[in-house]
Amino acid sequence: MLAICLVVSIPNAVTLLLRAIVEKSGKLSAKTIEMHRSLTRVLSIQSLLPVFFSGAVISFVSCQFDLYCSETQEHFMAESASYMPLLAPFVTMYYVRPYRE
């Protein structure tokens, strides 16, 4: 139940926040707006990183319910979980301009 509430409330809060920022964007400089867009893009991509590793979750569930489990599958779960913290900084460095230059 809590997960459903979070899934529904977080996008609504983000939408309200972005709407408030857009309303006040007339007072912001072009550089600030560009930086905001860049950071929003980075945060959106970083929030999607766990989706790319959902295979590890499916593998874990299949092992827990004794559907299918092997050593290779266990290594896959451990390795894919370790790639998320590795990829997040690279996403930031690639998409945020001051880090690229």
Side-chain angles (χ1 to χ4, degrees):
M1 186 67 177
L2 177 64
I4 294 172
C5 292
L6 289 175
V7 168
V8 172
S9 64
I10 290 174
N12 289 336
V14 169
T15 304
L16 291 173
L17 180 65
L18 289 175
R19 188 175 297 147
I21 290 172
V22 168
E23 288 173 0
K24 296 180 181 183
S25 66
K27 300 175 184 176
L28 302 175
S29 68
K31 185 177 179 180
T32 304
I33 292 172
E34 181 58 36
M35 183 61 81
H36 170 71
R37 284 185 185 144
S38 175
L39 292 175
T40 303
R41 186 180 314 122
V42 168
L43 289 174
S44 299
I45 292 170
Q46 284 182 347
S47 70
L48 293 175
L49 280 177
V51 173
F52 296 120
F53 300 102
S54 60
V57 174
I58 293 168
S59 295
F60 178 76
V61 169
S62 68
C63 277
Q64 291 300 311
F65 289 116
D66 292 328
L67 300 174
Y68 177 77
C69 197
S70 68
E71 280 188 36
T72 307
Q73 187 176 7
E74 291 174 4
H75 288 292
F76 169 73
M77 288 185 288
E79 286 182 16
S80 63
S82 66
Y83 284 127
M84 277 198 308
L86 175 75
L87 290 177
F90 286 114
V91 169
T92 303
M93 287 188 286
Y94 181 77
Y95 282 102
V96 178
R97 174 165 280 161
Y99 293 120
R100 281 188 284 170
E101 297 173 350

